[in-house]
Amino acid sequence: VTADDMSSATLRRISTMSRSPPSSPTGEMEHGVSKRRGSTSSKGSADLGPMRRRSLHRYSVTKGSSSGGGRRGSLRRGLMAVRDLVLLERIDHDAVVQVLRKRFSDDQIYTYIGNVVVSVNPYKNLNIYDSATIDKYRGANMFDAQLPPHIFSLTDAAYGDMRFRGNNQCIIISGESGAGKTEASKKIMQYIAAVSGSSGGGDAIKEKLLRTNPVLEAFGNAKTIRNDNSSRFGKYIDIHFTKSGIIEGAKIEQYLLEKSRIVGQAEDERNYHIFYRMLSGMSKEEKGRLQLTDASNYSYLIQGNCLTCPGMNDAAEFALIRDAMKILMFSEDEQWNIWE
């Protein structure tokens, strides 16, 4: 989602929540990035309502005047401190965008709307997904005033509710092209893999779960004019856990692909990554076995007049795909059947 793409329906929803904040952190997404039902309690806590109200009160915005700045100066300083848009007393497009823009300029790309996490793509690497960050959010209260909003916090709340209350959870990631949906999905799986413990073959299952990403992206992502790694598919991943919270399996329930891209691409866009990566990463002998040449010789791959992506090494990516397929237990025959 971009800072300039907040719909009026979203603002109405935020306004309603601001006027009547819930006593317990429950809710559901309406135009946001993520959605989950049920309490966001962690460590099996029964009710975080009072704690949530105390932490949120620290960020409430007042309309009163102050010396030297007046109402506008006070409001502006208050907006800069808000990390949950539910707390805004003045709910309109300008106020929401101002908060998101200020937080974005400070490299704070996540903002809460109650239990919803709004993410603004920074288009650069931020060091906020390492093991130290995972440890900070592990088992923490989602509305802890000492922890900035983060997708790890939402994921931990869902995982904790699933583990300690036995409630199935659902996290929905939505947004326009380039909003960061693919990366958000990766970070959620990264966090779950890190905190879910291990036993016997548990680590192998986690590794397989994480290695599905390069394979799915190769066959379902493509370069567009807005995004060099745009997901042209939708998927629903079901992750199964033991009663002790250890991953025991996963499956993809739905996979919806933009099939039209296979036969036609717009200017400066590519077909799916896998075609270019296969033709760049295979040896001359392997391509000879399949009677293949270079990408520039195929009509379906050149309609966008774009064969490469800046900063993307198709040959190296193909090697990663092959490694992932081995971990996912694709046999050599199965792999060749796919290439054929």
Side-chain angles (χ1 to χ4, degrees), residues 40 77 99 109 124 150 168 172 296:
T40 57
R77 286 192 295 274
V99 172
I109 64 170
K124 63 180 180 180
H150 202 292
N168 292 330
I172 296 178
S296 59

Coordinates of all heavy atoms in Angstrom, one line a residue, residues 40 77 99 109 124 150 168 172 296:
T40 N -5.3 -11.1 20.4 CA -3.9 -11.1 20.1 C -3.1 -11.4 21.4 O -2.0 -10.9 21.5 CB -3.5 -9.7 19.6 OG1 -3.8 -8.7 20.5 CG2 -4.1 -9.5 18.2
R77 N 3.0 17.6 15.9 CA 3.9 16.9 16.8 C 3.3 15.6 17.3 O 3.9 14.6 17.4 CB 4.3 17.7 18.0 CG 5.3 18.8 17.7 CD 5.9 19.5 18.9 NE 4.9 20.2 19.7 CZ 4.5 21.4 19.5 NH1 5.1 22.1 18.5 NH2 3.6 22.0 20.2
V99 N 0.9 11.0 8.9 CA 1.5 10.0 9.8 C 2.3 9.0 9.1 O 3.5 8.8 9.4 CB 0.4 9.3 10.6 CG1 1.0 8.2 11.4 CG2 -0.3 10.3 11.6
I109 N 8.5 1.7 8.7 CA 7.6 1.4 7.6 C 6.3 0.7 8.0 O 5.4 0.5 7.2 CB 8.3 0.5 6.6 CG1 8.7 -0.9 7.2 CG2 9.6 1.1 6.0 CD1 9.2 -1.9 6.2
K124 N 14.3 -0.4 -0.1 CA 15.7 -0.6 0.3 C 15.7 -1.6 1.4 O 14.7 -1.9 2.0 CB 16.3 0.7 0.7 CG 15.6 1.3 2.0 CD 16.3 2.7 2.4 CE 15.6 3.3 3.6 NZ 16.3 4.6 4.0
H150 N 5.5 -3.9 13.9 CA 6.3 -4.8 13.0 C 5.4 -5.9 12.6 O 4.5 -6.4 13.3 CB 7.5 -5.3 13.9 CG 8.6 -5.7 13.0 ND1 8.6 -6.9 12.2 CD2 9.9 -5.2 12.9 CE1 9.7 -7.1 11.7 NE2 10.5 -6.1 12.0
N168 N -7.5 -21.7 15.3 CA -6.9 -21.5 14.0 C -6.8 -20.1 13.6 O -7.6 -19.3 14.0 CB -7.7 -22.2 12.9 CG -7.7 -23.7 13.1 OD1 -6.7 -24.3 13.5 ND2 -8.8 -24.4 12.7
I172 N -3.9 -12.4 6.2 CA -4.2 -12.1 4.8 C -3.2 -10.9 4.4 O -3.2 -9.9 5.2 CB -5.6 -11.7 4.5 CG1 -6.5 -12.9 4.8 CG2 -5.8 -11.2 3.1 CD1 -8.0 -12.6 4.6
S296 N 16.5 -14.6 -26.5 CA 16.2 -13.6 -27.6 C 15.6 -14.3 -28.9 O 15.1 -13.6 -29.7 CB 17.5 -12.9 -28.0 OG 18.5 -13.8 -28.4

